[in-house]
Every structure is written in structure tokens, then in C-alpha cells.
Amino acid sequence: PRDAIAAALRHKSHKCFRDLHKFPTFADAMAKKLEKTNAARLLDRAKIPYGLIPYEFDENDLAAQHVAESLGQPIERVFKTLVLHGDRTGYLVCVIPGDGEVDLKALAKVSGNKKVEMIPMKDLLAVTGYIRGGCSPVGMKKPFPTFFHSTAMNFETIYVSAGVRGLQLEVSPKDLVAYVRGTTADVASF
């Protein structure tokens, strides 16, 4: 049964999944049938290996710190996806470590804007197709310029939302950045 669960939770055999059984929600995965999200289907189509990792989410605590604790992973590996608007380029996406904050000046400079600002939460679904706590850099309604904090490349795999609350993608940052045609830069402050 453990092999069947592992097969259900991962897309392909990949060395980053050898410790999959250590996740706190591993047993819970048996009880749930993991439905692939649009983000997961897009990675399948691109033949990018990933893991779908479920976790218990709390409507009242959607912070990255809670996600990291639920996954049993350091916060530096759990990345949050933020959507901003630039005065020159329009919408853009910033993917930063869970313990960081967007450095608006640095992001504006690297994205070719004079000024960038977070979009209002009420606009997130209309712009991206995702809700707060479930915004993935993969599979937004339209492709937007995407900027990853440079520390993503320090890890073999990172965690980003799979597109719904309670489910994360574990994926190679190199594959992810290439797939979304992203740029890496120092766009967060700690």
C-alpha cells in the first residue's frame, strides 16, 4: 500500500521523492483521492517531475509559516506566489520564500517599472483564476512576467501552491523557472 500511495502522490520516479513517507500528511493522503490541479496537469504535459503534497490548511491562517510547519519543511523552501501591478508592464508575479516580503523597489527595477504594488485581494481570482492561499505560479489565466527570488536556486526542490488550498507542488526550481519563463533576482527582503 505504501508504494501505491507514493505512486499516487508523485508524477515520476525522482530522487527528490525518496523521503515522501516522512511528510506529516502522508497517512492522510491515503484517505483522500488527490485530484490533479490545472497546475499539475500543465506540468504533466510539459513532462516536468513534481510531487503533489497535501497538508491541512486553516482558513484563518493561510500564512506560509503555517504551510511550512504542516509540511515539516523549513520556511525557506516554501515559496509564496504574489501578484502585483506595475505602472509600465501591468500585472506581474513574484515568487518569494515564505519568510520574506516583496522588495517593491527591487522588483520595480528588475521588471522595468517605476513603481509596483500588490493587487487588491478582491481582484486576485479575476486576474489569475486562483484564490488567496491557493495561488500557483503555474496555470494562471494569462502568462504574466514572473520573478523568483534568487534563493530558490539554492534548493534541489521547492514548494509552491498547486493551485488549491491544502495542496503543494514539490518541484525543481530550475524546471519551474524555465517552464513559466521566469527570471531570478533578489526581489525579497527578510
Side-chain angles (χ1 to χ4, degrees):
R2 183 171 289 264
D3 291 337
I5 299 167
L9 289 176
R10 64 178 177 243
H11 170 62
K12 292 183 178 180
S13 178
H14 189 275
K15 65 183 176 182
C16 69
F17 303 112
R18 67 176 160 252
D19 295 329
L20 193 58
H21 66 281
K22 294 180 182 175
F23 291 101
T25 55
F26 188 79
D28 296 337
M30 275 288 276
K32 290 184 194 178
K33 284 188 177 179
L34 291 179
E35 292 185 28
K36 285 199 176 177
T37 62
N38 187 43
R41 285 188 291 276
L42 290 169
L43 293 179
D44 281 343
R45 206 173 303 148
K47 298 186 184 329
I48 294 173
Y50 63 89
L52 279 177
I53 315 297
Y55 67 94
E56 291 296 322
F57 73 91
D58 178 353
E59 287 270 342
N60 300 313
D61 187 5
L62 298 173
Q65 183 65 45
H66 174 76
V67 175
E69 289 169 3
S70 297
L71 295 173
Q73 294 296 319
I75 188 74
E76 298 84 10
R77 281 187 69 201
V78 177
F79 282 68
K80 54 189 175 184
T81 304
L82 306 171
V83 182
L84 299 93
H85 191 270
D87 62 338
R88 293 182 178 162
T89 63
Y91 295 113
L92 58 141
V93 177
C94 189
V95 184
I96 62 172
D99 61 342
E101 292 186 24
V102 157
D103 181 334
L104 297 174
K105 287 183 181 181
L107 182 60
K109 185 176 181 180
V110 75
S111 66
N113 289 286
K114 278 189 175 182
K115 177 179 150 187
V116 295
E117 59 188 11
M118 295 289 294
I119 66 168
M121 198 61 59
K122 65 179 178 55
D123 296 344
L124 186 63
L125 180 61
V127 171
T128 67
Y130 292 126
I131 61 171
R132 180 175 178 259
C135 189
S136 179
V138 178
M140 291 190 182
K141 284 184 173 182
K142 294 181 181 178
F144 298 116
T146 303
F147 300 88
F148 288 78
H149 188 66
S150 57
T151 58
M153 297 311 200
N154 295 345
F155 303 102
E156 187 176 324
T157 62
I158 61 172
Y159 296 85
V160 296
S161 175
V164 295
R165 293 174 179 168
L167 195 59
Q168 291 278 300
L169 289 169
E170 182 182 12
V171 63
S172 158
K174 291 177 183 139
D175 290 343
L176 184 59
V177 170
Y179 179 75
V180 300
R181 297 184 178 149
T183 303
T184 59
D186 290 333
V187 291
S189 57
F190 301 90

